[in-house]
Amino acid sequence: MAIDLARFHATFFEESREGLDIMESGLLGMETGESSAEAINSVFRAAHSIKGGAGTFGFTAVSGFTHHMETLLDGMRAGQRPIDPPSIEVLLGALDVLRGLLNAAEHGEPVDIDAVGQSEARLRALLDGVPQEAGPSAAAVKGGASGTKASGWKVAFKPDPELFQSGNDPLRIFNELERLGPVAADCIDTALPSFEDVDPFVSYLAWHLAVDAPVEKATIDETFAWVEDQCELSVEAVYPPAASIDAVAQLAPGAPGAPDAPNAQAATAATPSNASSASEGSLRVNVGKVDALINLVGELVITQAMLQQLSEALDPVLNEKLLNGLTQLDRNTRDLQEAVMSVRMLPVDFVFSRFPRLARDLAGKLGKKLRLKTVGESTELDKSVIEKITDPLVHLVRNSIDHGIESPEARRAAGKDETGTVTLTASHQGGHIVIVIEDDGAGLNRERILAKAAERGLPCSDSMSDADVWQLIFAPGFSTAAEVTDLSGRGVGMDVVKRNISALGGEVQIQSRAGLGTRIAIKLPLTLAILDGMSVAVGEETYIIPLNFIIESLTPGADDIKTVGGAGRLLRVRGDYLPLHRMHDVFRVPAAEAAHLRRTVVLLESEGKKMAMEVDELVGQQQVVIKSLESNYRRVHGISGATIMGDGRVALIVDVGGLTRGLAAAA
């Protein structure tokens, strides 16, 4: 029965992407001098795993291209090739091409033949142009100290019994060997059980082969690369009669490729153990299953809230045991919810890890010297938030490097270190995460921003505070770049950044000082699945206002409310006047008939703007499970989602950011 390997493709591509990240991180570290044996081995192992998996699943373009990278990396880890900037540059370029090949294989897209050919040519040129180091190791690879080349090879190959189950086939390997030269089986060892006990999925044979091919040992090893970790393998060189026994005896025991090289064996043996330790204690689960589990727990929380509300009408004396059980259920439900939510939490390093490469390439393209620092990489954030915050962060980091950091000449003239610094920081603050992008560059130019805003007809004045001036850069199409390049000056981006962050229930704050740099702080909820909110009554309806937007609530006196022509109603709060709106009017909800109700006002702040919202009553603070209104109904302005209350009614969650922008535009 044939094994359907296609069902393993998704796992292969996911693991390959992880391998690409490992390779990129390792190469960048090697470029900065972190050329430890483990760093080089980790990059080599990642390339080797990608090549092996691609060969198993029949992605020949991927495996063939990766082979050239692997050969270069193998020479580096063996000390035969230098680890220098040109080599790293070529490998990083090849890494990008490999990423494209994997994407093409995954989605069935056409391959960029030109890019692959150019990168492969650079790899080949590097392999052919850099001479190997002299000495016993290089001589051993050539076949002996005298330089005699092997005329053939003796191969002892004993596959693991489970070899077939991984989709590999020894006959395919032997066919590849025959392309190199004639292959003869000197001996075939068998360990067959009785006919009744034979398992067609188990390999019982071992081979001793004679390969008549004057090729490098690496070529023979490459043939068995797909099963390297699933077999016992020994490859010994066969030399022509003219080669003296003394020359062969001079093979260094530690030479890469020598049959008894302990260092090579140690490196090979370390591979499975390292991989095992890395994956120990983890389980790869489909995201859809996790989402379904979270949704079910959310329903459980809603049901528990309903039971809790119903229990409030029970006699505590007559129903003591029942009420105690409900209290225990409440604690267990909350603990279960927190535990399940933590499954989706990932370290911010999933985002931060892509910036060293981005910063390196961008700084090099701009002719700038740059130092990138990351702090708080282990801070955890919901996977859905991480996916949506990646693009805004990429844009902000590019802006810091392009617009913020000056050229080395300009920094020296200003008395600064010619190497600029961009720092990425992540930290928890209450129920939120704060991500800060900070640079020590030139800072924002207040005069230029105001001039550009006036030119575009945006409302601005010289009396505006710095904080308000900085917010102007988020206007659609706003740009102060002197010229349009492929990096900046297109007039798009910052408005999209703010819109995407606002859609996540977050906000952006900017601080900048001329000549000292700029600090951009993004405040985000830890998850998009649950929310701490304040329930407010508006007529017969209940709304949820997210707590992070609430400054305070109060009951104003009649003298605190003023009506100004053209500006509507204003609320005086400790000497300041804020626009005052009725939530009845905003959402067109009939007002409560009870005229004796005292006015209750909630003060809200979003994106640096404050306003006051009048409601009928504050019901109470609670944690709610967010349900998408758009996917279940349609998009509603001023509403970000919905939830189910303890009494079974649906309560709408207020989009404070969208509401603030809409009311300000209508004013």
Side-chain angles (χ1 to χ4, degrees), residues 129-179:
V130 179
Q132 295 183 345
E133 293 181 357
S137 296
V141 176
K142 292 296 182 183
S146 64
T148 305
K149 190 172 184 178
S151 61
W153 300 90
K154 289 185 177 180
V155 178
F157 172 55
K158 181 180 180 181
D160 290 346
E162 298 83 10
L163 181 75
F164 295 145
Q165 299 177 28
S166 64
N168 284 299
D169 180 2
L171 291 180
R172 178 176 62 84
I173 299 174
F174 299 158
N175 288 336
E176 291 186 19
L177 285 175
E178 285 187 332
R179 295 192 184 101

Side-chain angles (χ1 to χ4, degrees), residues 352-393:
F352 282 7
S353 61
R354 70 179 57 201
F355 292 121
R357 174 72 186 282
L358 183 149
R360 171 196 178 275
D361 293 349
L362 187 55
K365 192 170 187 178
L366 296 171
K368 298 180 179 180
K369 294 186 177 181
L370 183 70
R371 181 186 305 110
L372 181 71
K373 295 181 179 179
T374 56
V375 180
E377 302 95 324
S378 60
T379 305
E380 291 189 332
L381 186 61
D382 190 284
K383 181 179 183 295
S384 60
V385 181
I386 283 182
E387 291 171 347
K388 295 176 181 178
I389 196 61
T390 299
D391 287 343
L393 284 180

Side-chain angles (χ1 to χ4, degrees), residues 476-520:
F478 189 92
S479 176
T480 59
E483 58 180 303
V484 175
T485 69
D486 60 341
L487 300 176
S488 64
R490 288 189 172 90
V492 296
M494 292 302 285
D495 60 320
V496 178
V497 167
K498 186 173 184 178
R499 186 162 61 248
N500 290 347
I501 292 173
S502 298
L504 294 173
E507 56 182 14
V508 188
Q509 298 176 347
I510 300 179
Q511 297 174 343
S512 185
R513 295 178 62 186
L516 298 179
T518 302
R519 181 182 187 272
I520 301 177

Side-chain angles (χ1 to χ4, degrees), residues 429-443:
Q429 293 186 12
H432 295 79
I433 186 173
V434 177
I435 300 177
V436 177
I437 303 97
E438 189 170 8
D439 65 69
D440 64 350

Side-chain angles (χ1 to χ4, degrees), residues 125 262 274 337 394 437 452 516:
N274 289 340
Q337 183 185 36
V394 167
I437 303 97
K452 191 68 176 181
L516 298 179

